[in-house]
Amino acid sequence: MSTINDLLSALGGIAASPTLLLVILGGVVLGTIAGLLPGIGPSTAIALLLPVAITVPAEISLPLMVSLYLGAEYGGRISAILLNIPGDPGAIMTTLDGHPMALKGKAATALSISALASFVGSVLAFLGLAFIAGPMSELGLAFGPGAYFAVVVMALVLSATLVGSAPMLGLTAVAIGVAVSTVGIELQSGLPRFTFGSFTLLEGVDSIVAIIGVFGVGEILASTTMGRDSPVMSKLSGRFLPTKSDLKQGTFPSLRGSVIGFVAGVLPGAGTTIAAFFSYGLEKRLAPASAGMGKGSVRGLVAPESANNAAVSGSMVPLLTLGIPGSGTTAVLLAYLMMYGLNPGPGFFDANPELGWTIIGALLFSAILGVVINIGASPLLAKILAIPMPFMAPVILILALISCYSIHNSVTDVYIALAFGVLGYVMRLVGMAPALLVIGLVLGEMLERNLQQALGLTGGNFWAVISDPLVMVFLIIALLALVSFLPWKRVLGKKHDEKTANV
């Protein structure tokens, strides 16, 4: 009953606060715009707003950020359907059936159906978050430093192996992030590490500056140098509201997609992209040949859309209860929480009950406002896609650099952001996911701190740390994840070829 009472109290508080409602509305609108613009997405949008948001209390800015995150998942489907270009990675699978529907003259119908599916996924996952967050937080209280060290290792490995198609590149990106987190003064010895004589780097690399550089500057460099010719946008033709047949076809796929999306959000490293992928894959297996998956099927449209929105609420479970980000966006949110002096993880809801439940409640209001805005304002939002990237890029770049400077009023931060922008651009060129660098950067400090504490409790005995049963469970999961993604077929195939050649 405590969970229900806390939730109802938070929902009542939001409903009674015009300020919070306006903030959530603004977050949804900004998120929708960020989501529909290809290459921007929630990570970049939140990173750009961080320096501005810290000028207001956490009770205002945190609902803004989570509503922006959910709004971006609503917006990503607009460009996916009309341009065949996903606004964010979570909308990749939406292009498979959404754009074919638009080509058949059903673009308006596809937009409304996908918005409703996103709403279903958001609401169901909100309920899951509301009733799981409390027990998960209590479970986390039983974790010691050793267990937390193992959880971070597991999160890093799962992130590296699940994001992208090349696990070795993923591991490399995570390792770069962890390495960057070690720059600065080592807390136990007080000695500088990797500062190269620079006084500026004694305090380490500010995670927010690195995030703005990797996502903001890096994305602009990638968009302007790797861009293609602008595709033709499909017209908003056809019946706007879905028919009874459309709703009937989409009901169970959206429910299945919501469950898959929530579970994928809870898993470190999975996120909206993996959620949409698995949901679409399952639906394709279950659908009869007559469903026309990949040719403009309602089932193929609602499954990934419900999943990627559900993954947003799911990703809040490990973030708030364990302090573990499961995606690049939640890594940005974690860095933001830490800037406020808040420590998400076990005890977060005990120490900040009103704030914690307000964050959860904001997701429900974001879902409601999101479906209303996306159904009512789709024609207006679609016009934003007509703005050429050469006009958008300078505005976003200037905003990013101003944001970096405003954090510490330091030009050095601007240079660091530009350096990370180049790094993020190079990572995109070679196929690395920049989000993994951010995850490694944010979790690196937590990894080192918990390992040092665990070693201190065991007198420096590393074996005593990893031999704890709970620690071993998480490390074994990480090892299995790593082994399962090794190219065994290629390795075994080469050995078989060598034996055959010798014979």
Side-chain angles (χ1 to χ4, degrees):
M1 287 300 293
S2 176
T3 297
I4 297 176
N5 292 334
D6 290 338
L7 178 60
L8 292 176
S9 176
L11 293 176
I14 295 173
S17 172
T19 302
L20 272 178
L21 290 175
L22 285 174
V23 164
I24 293 171
L25 175 62
V28 171
V29 172
L30 289 174
T32 302
I33 295 172
L36 67 87
L37 290 172
I40 304 301
S43 303
T44 303
I46 292 176
L48 293 176
L49 282 178
L50 288 180
V52 178
I54 58 176
T55 60
V56 298
E59 292 77 9
I60 298 295
S61 57
L62 285 173
L64 170 67
M65 296 303 172
V66 296
S67 60
L68 191 153
Y69 187 10
L70 191 61
E73 297 307 320
Y74 272 103
R77 73 193 212 297
I78 298 176
S79 56
I81 292 170
L82 298 181
L83 292 177
N84 199 31
I85 298 177
D88 75 305
I92 291 173
M93 305 307 291
T94 305
T95 61
L96 300 182
D97 282 279
H99 192 61
M101 283 186 72
L103 294 178
K104 291 179 180 180
K106 299 180 179 180
T109 309
L111 287 174
S112 62
I113 290 174
S114 60
L116 291 172
S118 298
F119 174 71
V120 171
S122 299
V123 171
L124 293 181
F126 158 78
L127 295 174
L129 169 62
F131 290 99
I132 286 180
M136 279 286 290
S137 184
E138 293 178 6
L139 176 65
L141 289 172
F143 287 13
Y148 256 100
F149 162 73
V151 168
V152 174
V153 171
M154 180 188 71
L156 291 173
V157 173
L158 286 176
S159 299
T161 52
L162 288 175
V163 177
S165 57
M168 289 308 299
L169 288 177
L171 289 169
T172 303
V174 167
I176 293 172
V178 173
V180 172
S181 72
T182 63
V183 174
I185 295 177
E186 202 276 320
L187 294 179
Q188 284 195 338
S189 64
L191 297 175
R193 297 182 300 188
F194 311 114
T195 58
F196 305 102
S198 170
F199 289 102
T200 305
L201 293 177
L202 287 176
E203 295 182 3
V205 175
D206 192 301
S207 58
I208 300 300
V209 173
I211 287 167
I212 293 174
V214 170
F215 283 121
V217 180
E219 195 60 57
I220 293 303
L221 290 174
S223 298
T224 53
T225 60
M226 300 165 62
R228 301 175 181 175
D229 294 335
S230 299
V232 179
M233 186 169 66
S234 301
K235 295 181 179 179
L236 283 172
S237 56
R239 177 190 175 101
F240 193 73
L241 294 177
T243 63
K244 289 183 179 179
S245 176
D246 293 333
L247 294 175
K248 184 177 180 181
Q249 292 179 55
T251 299
F252 287 107
S254 62
L255 293 176
R256 287 190 287 265
S258 300
V259 175
I260 292 173
F262 181 74
V263 173
V266 172
L267 295 174
T272 58
T273 308
I274 299 297
F277 176 82
F278 279 120
S279 180
Y280 187 89
L282 174 65
E283 213 53 47
K284 194 168 184 178
R285 290 177 181 272
L286 296 177
S290 59
M293 293 282 287
K295 300 177 182 179
S297 168
V298 172
R299 299 177 66 147
L301 175 62
V302 302
E305 276 305 304
S306 58
N308 60 34
N309 274 55
V312 172
S313 293
S315 67
M316 294 294 162
V317 174
L319 175 67
L320 297 178
T321 63
L322 298 176
I324 301 293
S327 65
T329 305
T330 49
V332 178
L333 288 174
L334 177 59
Y336 178 53
L337 286 165
M338 293 168 68
M339 283 182 64
Y340 263 113
L342 300 169
N343 295 309
F348 177 74
F349 282 90
D350 290 334
N352 312 278
E354 185 175 348
L355 177 60
W357 288 105
T358 298
I359 293 172
I360 295 176
L363 287 169
L364 178 62
F365 281 90
S366 300
I368 297 171
L369 293 172
V371 71
V372 172
I373 292 169
N374 277 267
I375 288 181
S378 285
L380 178 62
L381 292 169
K383 292 182 179 180
I384 298 175
L385 293 172
I387 301 175
M389 182 49 87
F391 291 102
M392 293 290 295
V395 176
I396 297 172
L397 181 60
I398 291 172
L399 220 132
L401 298 182
I402 291 175
S403 298
C404 286
Y405 179 81
S406 64
I407 295 175
H408 302 117
N409 293 326
S410 171
V411 178
T412 304
D413 284 343
V414 175
Y415 295 145
I416 293 174
L418 290 172
F420 273 93
V422 174
L423 177 60
Y425 169 66
V426 173
M427 291 178 70
R428 288 170 173 84
L429 284 180
V430 300
M432 289 185 186
L436 293 178
L437 182 147
V438 174
I439 291 174
L441 172 61
V442 175
L443 288 183
E445 182 183 352
M446 188 185 300
L447 179 76
E448 181 181 17
R449 183 177 69 251
N450 282 289
L451 178 59
Q452 288 179 341
Q453 291 176 355
L455 290 173
L457 293 173
T458 59
N461 189 340
F462 184 71
W463 173 249
V465 174
I466 64 173
S467 61
D468 180 270
L470 187 59
V471 173
M472 291 186 69
V473 168
F474 294 120
L475 292 181
I476 289 172
I477 293 173
L479 181 62
L480 291 175
L482 188 61
V483 171
S484 66
F485 279 90
L486 288 176
W488 289 111
K489 291 183 180 180
R490 192 184 306 170
V491 174
L492 294 176
K494 286 183 179 179
K495 290 184 177 180
H496 177 73
D497 292 341
E498 290 175 1
K499 288 182 180 180
T500 305
N502 292 332
V503 173

